[in-house]
Structure formats: C-alpha cells, structure tokens
Amino acid sequence: MYRFLLTPRWLAAAALTVVASVIMVMLGNWQLHRYHERTAINERIDAANAAEAVPLTSLLAAPTTAGTPGAGPGKSVAWTKVTMTGRYDTAHEIQARGRTVEGEVGFEIVTPLLLDDGTAVLVDRGWVPAPPGGAVAAPEVPPAPTGQVTVVGQIHLSESRPAPVERRDGRLDTRRLNLPRLATEMPFPVYGAYVLLTEQTPAADPAFVRVPIPHEDAWQNGGYAVQWWIFAVMAFFLFGWQARREAQGVNGPAGGRRPARPARDRVTEADRHTQRPRDRVEEADQRSRDRVEEADQRRRDRVEEDDRRRAERTRDRVAEADQRQAAAARAGTATEDTEGRLAAPREAD
C-alpha cells in the first residue's frame, strides 16, 4: 500500500522533510541558548542591585597607555556594583545625545573620574532632558562637584559601533559611548568599561535622572524556541498526511499522479461524466413537458368552467320559460271557468 514511498519523488520529499526539520530544531536550540543568555543577564542585574560594591581595580585591568582603553571585561562582569574615589575632570566631559529615558529624549552626561594612579574611569552621572531647542541645543547640566569624590555604580560594557566625536558647547559630543573611540580624545589612560552612577559622596545633583538598566526579554526567545520545535514536528506530520492521502488515491505532494485504478472503475467514472449532460437535458425536457401539461390543464379547466356556466344559464332560462308557460296555462283555465259560470244563468232564462 505504501510501496510508492520508495519512488524517487517520495524519497526526495522525505529527505527535504528531514533537512527542514533539522534546521528548525537547530533554530529552536539557538533561541533556547539566547533565552539562557538573557536569563543570566537578568539574574546578574538583580544580583548586582542587592550586592555590596567592590573596588573597581579588583575587577578591571588598569589601562597603561593614553589614547588606548584598557582591556574590556567579559560579559560576566557587566552590571557588577563597584566603588572608586577620585576627582572629576570636567574639561573632557562628554554629552551623549539622543538618549531615551522613560520615553523622553535627552542627554547622558559622562565625566572622567581621575584616580590617584593617574588613570581615569568614565562615569555616567545621569540623564538630563533636552532643552526646548531640541537635540542640537546645549542641555542644562549641573556642574560636577570639585575635590575628592567617592562614586558607587554599576559596570557598563563599551557600546559597539563607534560614532563621530566632536566638541560642542564646551563638551565632547557623540551618539554612542564607545570606549576605544572616546579614549583617543583623552590625555590619560582610560579603563575599558564605564560606570553608571548609583550613589555619590558628596551627593549627586537631583536634576540628574538615574539611567535605568533594562532587563532582557528572555521569554520572547523561549517562545520562539518552542515555535521552531513545533514547526519541526509539523513537517513530519505533513509528510505523513500527504503519504496517507496518496495511499488512499488522492493527489500526493507536488501534484503527484493518482495511483492506477481498475479499468472498470475508470469506465464507470467516464460513464458518470457522460451521464451528467444527458441527465441535465432530460431534466430540461421534463420541465418543458411539465409546463406544457400545466398550461393544457389550465385551458381545460377554463373550458370546463365556461361549459358549466353556460349549462347553468340554459337550465335557468328553460326553468323560467316553463314557469311562464305554467302560469299562462293556469290563467287560461281560470278564464274558461268564469265564462262557464256566466253562461249557465243565461241558459236557464
């Protein structure tokens, strides 16, 4: 019954089904891997918020050359809470434009913090809204505190895809915080990651809005993984369904031919196809005959009705004539009787 599965066409369909299913399973596994990666990032963010700060120098390699950033930390270090002490260098302050916080576009203000060993770490002091003039106008930025400052923040990895850097309104202006590109603008060695400020001593100006650390949407990748696995199962189900249809005499995949049927069945089907036009002609003839018979019957009914009415009128006229004759006869008899009574006295005289 399923011997046709060994034909080249069906063997090719089976191979295509297997290849497609393997690819879909691999895509599902990749989405599952992304789910685990994003889940790990969310767990690190949550753990960092609750952990105690550690010295920055204990996690990041110190830079050695001006114009070149230090070694970038791995993803496992991202969002770790660190602390450091130094002095802000406002002469090389950076404004990152086009940054969005809670649906509003503004600037992130990044200021180098010079450490005692002559190295510097870029500190993102927070977000300020764009002025009425828009992104091209200079924002109102609270000045950095002077003197020694202790900063507590979370490590942020360098952003990819460097953007042009230019000096505007007394600050370095850019769209992306790419450490290799920004380090070329600094006269001192810069660490390979920057820090999002969470606490500061002395306290930071309340005009700054803390830059949030968004959680990754891990569940989206988990949903995609399940979808790809379902698609892989559906590919085998579709192959089996098509094979069953082919075995039952219905066209298979890619418009395959129907399996051979006995000659008697083919003749019977041909007769059915031929019989259908004849049946339609006979049906039309029958409808015509029915309409003719119906018209004849209506004519016969009208003739019979007319005959009946004429017969009734004739009977009525005959009856009326008979009544008149009977009345005339009665009137004649009465006259004769009167004349006889009148004649009898004359004869007696």
Side-chain angles (χ1 to χ4, degrees), residues 19-264:
V19 171
S21 298
V22 170
I23 292 175
M24 287 185 282
V25 169
M26 293 175 63
L27 290 172
N29 291 340
W30 180 80
Q31 290 289 349
L32 180 64
H33 176 68
R34 289 289 297 149
Y35 167 79
H36 289 307
E37 281 187 342
R38 290 187 163 187
T39 300
I41 292 173
N42 293 336
E43 291 175 351
R44 286 200 303 271
I45 293 174
D46 295 337
N49 290 331
E52 294 292 333
V54 298
L56 174 75
T57 55
S58 66
L59 294 177
L60 300 183
T64 57
T65 306
T68 302
K75 293 182 179 180
S76 60
V77 180
W79 316 123
T80 303
K81 189 180 292 185
V82 294
T83 181
M84 55 273 188
T85 301
R87 294 177 295 103
Y88 280 124
D89 177 21
T90 57
H92 296 91
E93 194 168 64
I94 304 163
Q95 59 183 24
R97 67 181 184 276
R99 315 290 278 200
T100 303
V101 172
E102 296 182 356
E104 295 188 16
V105 179
F107 295 81
E108 289 182 31
I109 306 302
V110 181
T111 308
L113 183 69
L114 293 175
L115 307 183
D116 293 338
D117 59 0
T119 62
V121 57
L122 300 185
V123 177
D124 190 331
R125 293 198 289 145
W127 178 91
V128 292
V136 296
E140 297 182 4
V141 180
T146 58
Q148 194 174 60
V149 178
T150 299
V151 172
V152 176
Q154 291 177 272
I155 293 176
H156 195 302
L157 303 182
S158 173
E159 296 179 356
S160 60
R161 294 183 300 169
V165 179
E166 59 184 2
R167 184 164 288 276
R168 180 185 298 173
D169 306 319
R171 300 185 186 88
L172 297 174
D173 183 273
T174 186
R175 288 293 303 271
R176 302 187 65 81
L177 297 176
N178 178 264
L179 271 299
R181 177 66 185 87
L182 293 174
T184 62
E185 306 290 334
M186 305 294 167
F188 32 72
V190 177
Y191 276 85
Y194 68 97
V195 175
L196 294 178
L197 186 146
T198 57
E199 299 177 24
Q200 178 181 280
T201 305
D205 194 292
F208 281 111
V209 176
R210 179 178 172 181
V211 177
I213 301 176
H215 282 68
E216 300 284 338
D217 188 3
W219 286 108
Q220 183 180 34
N221 296 99
Y224 288 156
V226 174
Q227 287 181 3
W228 281 117
W229 293 335
I230 292 176
F231 291 158
V233 174
M234 289 177 61
F236 282 104
F237 175 80
L238 179 61
F239 178 84
W241 179 70
Q242 291 283 13
R244 186 171 180 273
R245 290 189 65 196
E246 182 81 3
Q248 292 179 346
V250 183
N251 285 340
R257 295 175 300 177
R258 299 188 181 200
R261 291 172 297 167
R264 183 178 59 188

